[in-house]
Amino acid sequence: MKLLLATLWACFIVTSFGAKLPSGFKKCNVRQITSDMCLPKAIESAIKQMDHPIKKLGLVSLESLVVPSLIIDSGSKYVATKQILKNLKLSGFNETSCSKAGFNYTENTLNLECVVPNFRLDFNYELHGQIMMLSVYGNGTGWSIFRDNQLGLTFKLGEYEKKGQKYFNILSQQLDMQPRDLDFDLQNLFDGDEESADRMKKIFKQNVLDIYYDVKSGYEEAFGKVFAYLFEKILEKVPVANIFG
Ligand SMILES: *[C@@H]1O[C@H](CO)[C@@H](O)[C@H](O)[C@H]1NC(C)=O
Ligand SMILES: *[C@@H]1O[C@H](CO)[C@@H](O)[C@H](O)[C@H]1NC(C)=O
Ligand SMILES: *[C@@H]1O[C@H](CO)[C@@H](O)[C@H](O)[C@H]1NC(C)=O
């Protein structure tokens, strides 16, 4: 009984005050901002500090973030195959710069515009279908780099109360992802037939943005969920008052 009480008391202390953001994270008064750069710089700096795990918030490192598996559906024009990506590692967030961030208090929406100069994916892939009317198949390792990847991210937030404090949760998110260019490599395409693989990769590289734009919404939906998952981890532990000054 003593143990139980002690445990409950400890729980109460922790939850009643809510977690604080790590001291390096900057706070902004969102009611005042309209045009100033406090929020963009605070977000940019928070992303940079997430290059290592933050245990008290249960946050994994962004460098590099692992997604166990991701399936990008076919497009409607050029890509007639699912892209199955497994053991996907994302990196390059440490060089993110954010030019805009705005919080709309009437709508409870947070809007960000950031650029990741080298948004890198390393993965195992499985392909079986057609790209640009050409048969393609393979199973192996690969990487891609989205260069100057412009991210426009909007979160719609809801509010709830826990132990007398206000918290946000994420109701929905929308990501727009526009790289200036894209580079990639796929090992073991055509089960290791190098000549066919090289010919195919050359064609894909010449048309890489057309191919990307055909499946863009699939990537945006997937990465939108990844970013929302990470942001939600902060929101569920840190009360609104401790996020925005
Ligand atoms: C970001 O990380 C990469 C890979 O670890 C490193 O080469 C690069 O110098 C880092 N950039 C900054 C701005 O810290
Ligand atoms: C917030 O959203 C409302 C409703 O869409 C809009 O009327 C208002 O102009 C927005 N405020 C800002 C600061 O963007
Ligand atoms: C691809 O390779 C992996 C590892 O060798 C294997 O587990 C998987 O079943 C393969 N997938 C296909 C579709 O052949």
Side-chain angles (χ1 to χ4, degrees):
M1 190 60 196
K2 256 196 189 132
L3 181 67
L4 181 64
L5 273 180
T7 315
L8 281 176
W9 179 236
C11 283
F12 180 67
I13 289 177
V14 172
T15 52
S16 67
F17 292 101
K20 289 208 160 53
L21 289 176
S23 57
F25 282 46
K26 206 171 150 187
K27 280 211 248 178
C28 300
N29 184 334
V30 287
R31 286 182 192 277
Q32 276 171 13
I33 57 148
T34 38
S35 62
D36 88 72
M37 289 296 284
C38 180
L39 202 51
K41 291 299 149 202
I43 287 164
E44 188 178 306
S45 132
I47 292 170
K48 285 187 178 144
Q49 287 171 63
M50 286 163 71
D51 65 350
H52 58 273
I54 300 174
K55 288 221 179 71
K56 72 171 181 178
L57 296 180
L59 284 175
V60 295
S61 166
L62 278 182
E63 232 31 77
S64 31
L65 190 65
V66 181
V67 179
S69 108
L70 198 80
I71 298 173
I72 307 290
D73 276 329
S74 298
S76 55
K77 240 172 144 181
Y78 301 114
V79 184
T81 171
K82 276 184 185 164
Q83 300 172 53
I84 302 178
L85 305 178
K86 288 185 178 159
N87 196 19
L88 174 71
K89 295 187 189 73
L90 291 122
S91 55
F93 294 108
N94 64 336
E95 293 180 340
T96 302
S97 62
C98 297
S99 56
K100 260 195 202 164
F103 189 80
N104 186 319
Y105 243 92
T106 3
E107 293 191 312
N108 265 3
T109 52
L110 178 65
N111 207 296
L112 307 176
E113 282 178 28
C114 301
V115 177
V116 187
N118 295 290
F119 183 94
R120 183 179 171 111
L121 312 180
D122 288 273
F123 47 75
N124 293 93
Y125 76 92
E126 289 172 20
L127 279 178
H128 194 97
Q130 291 195 331
I131 298 181
M132 303 194 76
M133 312 285 270
L134 302 166
S135 288
V136 56
Y137 61 89
N139 182 2
T141 58
W143 56 261
S144 56
I145 299 181
F146 293 61
R147 302 212 189 271
D148 293 336
N149 199 13
Q150 296 188 37
L151 306 180
L153 187 56
T154 303
F155 293 109
K156 174 127 187 65
L157 304 175
E159 286 177 14
Y160 66 101
E161 244 185 54
K162 195 163 67 184
K163 306 267 181 199
Q165 302 221 58
K166 197 168 88 169
Y167 286 80
F168 282 140
N169 61 350
I170 298 174
L171 301 177
S172 63
Q173 68 281 339
Q174 192 155 15
L175 174 65
D176 178 58
M177 196 162 92
Q178 298 193 33
R180 181 180 49 79
D181 196 9
L182 237 161
D183 196 6
F184 71 92
D185 198 15
L186 299 171
Q187 295 293 318
N188 204 39
L189 202 54
F190 302 115
D191 293 340
D193 174 352
E194 295 290 332
E195 208 175 302
S196 305
D198 286 348
R199 200 166 43 231
M200 186 68 88
K201 283 189 269 190
K202 206 170 152 196
I203 297 170
F204 290 172
K205 284 186 190 200
Q206 283 164 353
N207 299 283
V208 73
L209 286 179
D210 287 336
I211 294 171
Y212 169 69
Y213 271 84
D214 194 32
V215 288
K216 178 175 179 280
S217 61
Y219 276 95
E220 289 168 339
E221 201 187 324
F223 290 129
K225 281 184 187 154
V226 171
F227 299 144
Y229 171 81
L230 291 169
F231 189 35
E232 180 100 6
K233 286 239 166 201
I234 299 178
L235 295 178
E236 74 189 16
K237 294 200 180 63
V238 187
V240 174
N242 291 355
I243 297 180
F244 300 123

